[in-house]
Amino acid sequence: MSHLRVPCSSNYVSPSVVKICPSTKLHLTCTKTNLAQTFTKPSSLHCLLSMSSLTGLAPLEAVLFDVDGTLCDSDPLHYEALREMLLKIGFNGGVPITEEFFVEKFSGKNNVDTALVAFPDDLEQGLKFVADKETMFQRLAREQLKPVKGLDKVRTWVENRGLKRAAVTNSPRTNAELMISKLGLSDFFDVLIIGDECERGKPHPDPYLKALEVLKASKDHAFVFEDSFSGITAGVAAGMPVIGIASRNPEDLLIKAKPSFLIKDYEDSKLWAALEELDKPDVKKLEILDKNI
């Protein structure tokens, strides 16, 4: 499909506030405050379990997906391309970068940020380096790109409910369209939002806010799938609950960005328990009951 090219706004939602939940009962209050981006720190196992619920979003309108690491397992390919390209320029004294360094400095970042890591004092040279690196990544992606486990299952879930959907990424448009096409998702997404085509990319909320605007969807009835610290930060700042995918990036790093909960991949039982609860016809009855607990 031909994806829309749209500029992004610079609206911002205030940061989350952490509160302690005093309840020892199974209830929905923490779920509702969590989904409103006032994150509630659980004081009991029951509360912790209820926080993974998405019932506060009903009726659900849209699901927004990051691309790299969220739709496909592309981080190893980015790491391989960057490692080889950085070796060519003698970065780090010619010592290959580690995966930990890649996660800290490059994962989820836009091209300008990546360029400045490689060439802190020469953005023009850095952007040329990034362009060469993307060419290498594209070659690797055509040969090796694979979907995140369970992607087809969640795709079917979204399609069966007629939900609006957007791909929102800091990747260059050429990369994003290649990955989406390779995964067979070109006709799945209603819109593709590119961070570098926005006033501000992730970790700012602009790309996600623009996706909601184009989809004509409310942040109160949408959620995000993300795999990086900057991406989770962006989704949370846009006022939506974010389900973090901890397939590559460390859980302790991702949790600092305040996702609603973390999953390993799209087959994770935590995800399907939450989606099944969202599908329940008596969600509103549960919310009324919760007020009386």
Side-chain angles (χ1 to χ4, degrees):
M1 66 178 287
S2 178
H3 296 293
L4 295 174
R5 293 174 182 263
V6 284
C8 292
S9 66
S10 57
N11 295 327
Y12 192 85
V13 174
S14 10
S16 307
V17 176
V18 177
K19 295 182 179 180
I20 301 297
C21 173
S23 176
T24 57
K25 299 180 180 180
L26 177 59
H27 67 133
L28 296 175
T29 301
C30 285
T31 297
K32 289 183 288 187
T33 56
N34 184 40
L35 295 175
Q37 305 311 315
T38 302
F39 283 83
T40 306
K41 184 176 180 181
S43 61
S44 71
L45 178 60
H46 289 309
C47 185
L48 177 61
L49 292 174
S50 73
M51 285 179 69
S52 69
S53 171
L54 299 178
T55 54
L57 298 177
L60 188 63
E61 297 176 0
V63 182
L64 286 65
F65 294 80
D66 172 49
V67 177
D68 275 301
T70 299
L71 296 178
C72 49
D73 191 18
S74 54
D75 274 359
L77 307 184
H78 282 292
Y79 171 60
E80 181 179 345
L82 267 170
R83 184 187 59 198
E84 295 304 314
M85 292 297 297
L86 289 171
L87 279 174
K88 289 181 180 180
I89 64 171
F91 184 84
N92 194 33
V95 178
I97 62 169
T98 63
E99 290 191 48
E100 291 75 16
F101 184 86
F102 168 78
V103 168
E104 179 184 355
K105 299 295 185 180
F106 295 108
S107 181
K109 303 294 178 62
N110 60 37
N111 277 358
V112 171
D113 290 338
T114 298
L116 289 173
V117 174
F119 289 88
D121 302 317
D122 191 341
L123 178 58
E124 183 177 355
Q125 183 65 23
L127 289 174
K128 182 181 183 304
F129 166 85
V130 170
D132 291 340
K133 172 261 172 184
E134 298 300 359
T135 298
M136 180 180 287
F137 166 79
Q138 290 160 18
R139 176 177 58 79
L140 294 172
R142 290 187 185 96
E143 299 169 354
Q144 304 178 35
L145 192 71
K146 296 179 180 179
V148 169
K149 189 176 180 182
L151 179 62
D152 282 346
K153 184 178 179 181
V154 81
R155 172 185 180 168
T156 299
W157 187 90
V158 171
E159 289 178 328
N160 286 348
R161 285 151 186 80
L163 301 173
K164 300 173 182 178
R165 49 264 196 183
V168 183
T169 178
N170 269 351
S171 292
R173 181 170 287 274
T174 303
N175 281 12
E177 290 179 344
L178 169 63
M179 289 183 280
I180 288 171
S181 174
K182 180 77 174 175
L183 295 168
L185 297 174
S186 295
D187 295 328
F188 174 72
F189 289 109
D190 300 308
V191 64
L192 169 61
I193 303 294
I194 303 296
D196 280 349
E197 296 174 8
C198 300
E199 183 177 344
R200 304 178 300 179
K202 305 174 191 179
H204 299 288
D206 305 40
Y208 279 114
L209 292 173
K210 178 48 62 175
L212 291 173
E213 179 183 335
V214 174
L215 292 175
K216 293 182 171 56
S218 167
K219 66 180 179 62
D220 297 322
H221 299 287
F223 68 89
V224 174
F225 284 112
E226 268 284 1
D227 78 303
S228 70
F229 178 86
S230 65
I232 295 172
T233 300
V236 169
M240 289 177 286
V242 180
I243 299 175
I245 301 179
S247 56
R248 293 284 178 180
N249 292 321
E251 290 190 12
D252 58 347
L253 172 64
L254 297 182
I255 207 69
K256 291 177 183 177
K258 300 186 174 73
S260 294
F261 58 100
L262 296 178
I263 59 175
K264 182 179 179 182
D265 53 43
Y266 295 113
E267 293 188 353
D268 196 306
S269 60
K270 292 192 296 296
L271 171 63
W272 292 101
L275 295 182
E276 286 168 13
E277 187 173 342
L278 181 58
D279 273 341
K280 289 179 180 178
D282 58 348
V283 163
K284 291 192 178 295
K285 291 181 182 179
L286 287 173
E287 290 181 344
I288 293 171
L289 176 63
D290 179 58
K291 292 177 183 178
N292 298 319
I293 293 179

